[in-house]
Amino acid sequence: MRYMHEKIIILDFGSQYTQLIARAVRESSVFCEIIPYHKKIVFDSHLKGVILSGSPFSVNEENAPDVDIHSIAAQVPVLGICYGAQLTIKNFGGVVEKSNKREYGRVNFLATDKDIFMEQVSPASQVWMSHSDTIKILPEGFSLLGITDSIPVAAFKNNDSNLHPIYGLQFHPEVYHSTEGKKIINNFLFSVCHCTGDWTAAHFITASINALKNQIGDKKVVMGLSGGVDSTVAATLIHKAIGKNLFGIFVDNGLLRKNEFEEVLNIYKQLGLNVKGVNAREHFYTQLAGKILPEDKRKAIGSAFINIFDQEAHLLTDISFLGQGTIYPDVIESASVHGPSVTIKSHHNVGGLPEKMKLQLVEPLRTLFKDEVRKIGTELGIPSDLLNRHPFPGPGLGIRILGEVTEDKVLLLQEADYIYTQHLKKTGEYDKVWQAGTILLPVKSVGVMGDERTYEYTIALRAVTSVDGMTADWAHLPYNFLADVSNEIINSVRGINRVVYDISSKPPATIEWE
């Protein structure tokens, strides 16, 4: 779906911070799109500027990514960040060399010019550096805008009147540690590119519904719902466009949280969605029997879901489209700059269904980040209890039970997880953390209850703080809170006699254990 509004394009050279640039632009109500550096840019009246991202490469490497920055600047303003800045200098004949010392972390930036790019930026401010090359000599026609204590060129601009403005920053304005970085990005968006900030939730909803009507017409859409934020918001948008021609299928895989199947179906009913609930617990437990390794369990759960969904979808007639709650990070991660990345863990979705069922895809959220999805959901009137739920893995409790998954273990974990979640909500801690959950460990330990010796399972509690899930720190929950949760789990859930708390951060650990 295409939306007729202004936009910024970010050329991705493989930087770990590219998504953060996009988030910073979106937070200023300006739509942006990330594309690989080698993809052709379509210049039209809606394109207001181009940002060149950082990269793990050096501009002096033989096979370093390259683009013709001069031809881009002939059309729209350009901002180069880190690698993008160095590539700009090299493209125009300047000198970039290996630094004597790699500059990484917090640095004091000194603005040396009052250019509009530096409006309302303090003469001295903290910025975040991450580079091993340094700009030594600016090309002819370029001027200095800022320095740091250790490098001679931290910010610059091009003064060629035959081109649109070109700016470059050696540091990363998009990260939290660059205290006035958002001001600099806003200066580029509004003072240099003359954006108006027309990217709002209300605008998106109107444009999305119109685009969905044009795409789908009077045909039918089938969609697998999970009870999560993304699929619920996507389904609500599609429903507003085509009404009862959307057929939702919500599968109970036996790995949901306690009472979740019934509660979510009730919310869907309140929203007016046409959703069928399918109890397939036994099928999933059968497919998981004997599976120990995390990837084997994920694949078994994914395969079982596809089989159930396919079976239910074939009970419907004249279905032309498959709806999905794909969001922008999924799209970006599947479009690698230099080929496939190493698989940390496979994602559970309905990939494979379109080919198998010969359906066209409908993905109304594929341009949105998670926080934007929640804003859209709020505008659509979706209950806050659902919108503000913690992220929950597609394979559900199947990857929070280490080792083989059985129905008895699921029931144990559901009870412990329910107690933990209710305590988080009751004490106001729930909204302070990004994600929390319980993990059932595949070990038993000795305990004592009354005069009896017990030999039962251990539960690990996990809670993390994060902005987007890319990195996370363990949540510093109060000791008395942890003590209360531990006491209630051990006293209330027969089969558990020990509770521990996970204090690992991401990286090196992941948020989920499997």
Side-chain angles (χ1 to χ4, degrees):
M1 293 181 291
R2 293 291 176 185
Y3 306 101
M4 304 303 288
H5 48 64
E6 62 192 15
K7 72 176 178 181
I8 297 290
I9 284 208
I10 300 171
L11 288 189
D12 182 19
F13 294 97
S15 170
Q16 62 179 321
Y17 296 131
T18 303
Q19 285 195 38
L20 297 183
I21 300 172
R23 289 177 62 86
V25 174
R26 296 277 187 92
E27 285 170 5
S28 296
S29 299
V30 176
F31 178 70
C32 68
E33 182 180 358
I34 298 172
I35 65 173
Y37 73 92
H38 45 71
K39 184 176 179 180
K40 184 179 179 181
I41 299 174
V42 177
F43 293 97
D44 57 30
S45 60
H46 305 291
L47 182 59
K48 298 297 184 180
V50 170
I51 297 176
L52 313 175
S53 83
S55 174
F57 287 83
S58 163
V59 294
N60 294 319
E61 291 181 32
E62 185 177 346
N63 296 317
D66 193 12
V67 294
D68 184 352
I69 298 171
H70 189 283
S71 65
I72 297 173
Q75 302 275 352
V76 292
V78 175
L79 169 60
I81 295 175
C82 199
Y83 179 90
Q86 296 168 357
L87 185 62
T88 301
I89 295 304
K90 188 171 183 183
N91 266 208
F92 282 84
V95 177
V96 179
E97 294 180 353
K98 197 78 174 175
S99 303
N100 294 328
K101 179 182 178 183
R102 177 181 169 89
E103 192 169 41
Y104 182 86
R106 297 175 179 85
V107 177
N108 189 43
F109 170 71
L110 301 173
T112 59
D113 193 289
K114 293 291 186 181
D115 187 88
I116 57 170
F117 187 56
M118 292 293 168
E119 277 181 342
Q120 297 184 344
V121 175
S122 304
S125 64
Q126 175 186 287
V127 298
W128 182 264
M129 291 283 189
S130 178
H131 65 99
S132 55
D133 288 344
T134 296
I135 299 166
K136 296 290 187 180
I137 302 175
L138 287 171
E140 184 178 348
F142 283 69
S143 58
L144 185 68
L145 295 181
I147 62 174
T148 72
D149 294 337
S150 56
I151 62 171
V153 180
F156 61 81
K157 70 173 291 190
N158 173 277
N159 299 303
D160 188 342
S161 59
N162 294 316
L163 296 174
H164 287 273
I166 303 174
Y167 289 93
L169 298 171
Q170 183 62 79
F171 56 88
H172 288 274
E174 71 275 15
V175 303
Y176 171 79
H177 306 294
S178 293
T179 53
E180 299 193 45
K182 298 292 175 66
K183 288 183 183 178
I184 297 174
I185 290 174
N186 281 344
N187 287 339
F188 178 72
L189 297 176
F190 300 109
S191 298
V192 178
C193 298
H194 305 296
C195 293
T196 60
D198 67 354
W199 178 247
T200 64
H203 178 276
F204 174 85
I205 290 170
T206 301
S208 180
I209 291 172
N210 289 335
L212 287 166
K213 287 178 178 177
N214 291 332
Q215 181 187 11
I216 301 168
D218 60 357
K219 295 179 180 176
K220 297 177 181 177
V221 179
V222 65
M223 184 170 182
L225 299 173
S226 67
V229 176
D230 301 336
S231 67
T232 302
V233 173
T236 304
L237 277 172
I238 297 171
H239 171 76
K240 286 190 173 294
I242 65 170
K244 294 296 183 180
N245 276 350
L246 169 65
F247 296 84
I249 298 172
F250 180 36
V251 177
D252 183 355
N253 58 11
L255 305 168
L256 302 174
R257 288 166 283 206
K258 183 180 178 180
N259 301 329
E260 185 170 20
F261 186 59
E262 295 77 15
E263 289 173 358
V264 169
L265 279 177
N266 186 50
I267 290 175
Y268 288 155
K269 185 177 180 180
Q270 292 174 28
L271 291 171
L273 300 181
N274 179 22
V275 180
K276 178 182 180 181
V278 180
N279 184 341
R281 299 171 192 171
E282 293 305 320
H283 177 71
F284 279 84
Y285 293 150
T286 300
Q287 298 303 306
L288 284 166
K291 302 287 192 303
I292 303 296
L293 298 177
E295 282 301 297
D296 290 344
K297 292 193 292 183
R298 284 177 177 271
K299 288 172 183 175
I301 293 167
S303 176
F305 176 80
I306 288 174
N307 290 337
I308 296 295
F309 185 88
D310 188 35
Q311 177 181 309
E312 291 295 327
H314 274 95
L315 298 176
L316 304 170
T317 57
D318 301 323
I319 299 294
S320 302
F321 292 90
L322 173 70
Q324 287 197 350
T326 309
I327 62 175
Y328 202 34
D330 302 326
V331 177
I332 297 167
E333 288 165 9
S334 66
S336 175
V337 174
H338 293 284
S341 302
V342 175
T343 299
I344 297 174
K345 56 186 177 183
S346 59
H347 287 275
H348 171 63
N349 52 37
V350 289
L353 277 174
E355 183 179 345
K356 184 176 182 181
M357 299 172 65
K358 296 182 172 55
L359 300 177
Q360 298 179 62
L361 276 179
V362 178
E363 300 174 303
L365 308 181
R366 64 180 285 113
T367 61
L368 301 182
F369 288 103
K370 176 72 81 172
D371 55 335
E372 294 172 321
V373 174
R374 287 196 170 100
K375 290 177 184 175
I376 301 301
T378 300
E379 190 81 15
L380 288 168
I382 295 173
S384 59
D385 282 352
L386 190 149
L387 286 179
N388 296 322
R389 291 171 69 190
H390 291 170
F392 190 61
L397 300 181
I399 58 168
R400 290 183 179 176
I401 296 172
L402 305 195
E404 185 178 11
V405 177
T406 65
E407 185 173 6
D408 288 343
K409 289 180 181 178
V410 171
L411 292 173
L412 271 183
L413 188 56
Q414 283 179 331
E415 291 300 325
D417 184 73
Y418 182 79
I419 291 169
Y420 184 31
T421 302
Q422 292 305 113
H423 271 269
L424 285 166
K425 291 179 176 178
K426 183 173 65 177
T427 59
E429 296 291 339
Y430 188 86
D431 293 332
K432 297 178 184 178
V433 301
W434 164 266
Q435 184 173 338
T438 52
I439 300 93
L440 183 66
L441 304 187
V443 293
K444 289 186 176 182
S445 65
V446 174
V448 177
M449 289 189 178
D451 295 326
E452 296 183 12
R453 176 185 184 274
T454 62
Y455 190 61
E456 296 176 335
Y457 285 106
T458 299
I459 282 285
L461 304 180
R462 180 76 160 137
V464 298
T465 56
S466 179
V467 174
D468 50 24
M470 295 172 66
T471 61
D473 192 14
W474 62 278
H476 295 231
L477 297 176
Y479 289 156
N480 59 344
F481 170 86
L482 294 172
D484 290 343
V485 172
S486 175
N487 287 339
E488 185 167 346
I489 289 175
I490 291 171
N491 290 332
S492 303
V493 185
R494 184 176 294 275
I496 296 170
N497 67 357
R498 194 176 298 270
V499 175
V500 298
Y501 186 58
D502 182 352
I503 60 169
S504 314
S505 294
K506 175 187 178 183
T510 53
I511 294 176
E512 297 293 342
W513 279 42
E514 290 191 341

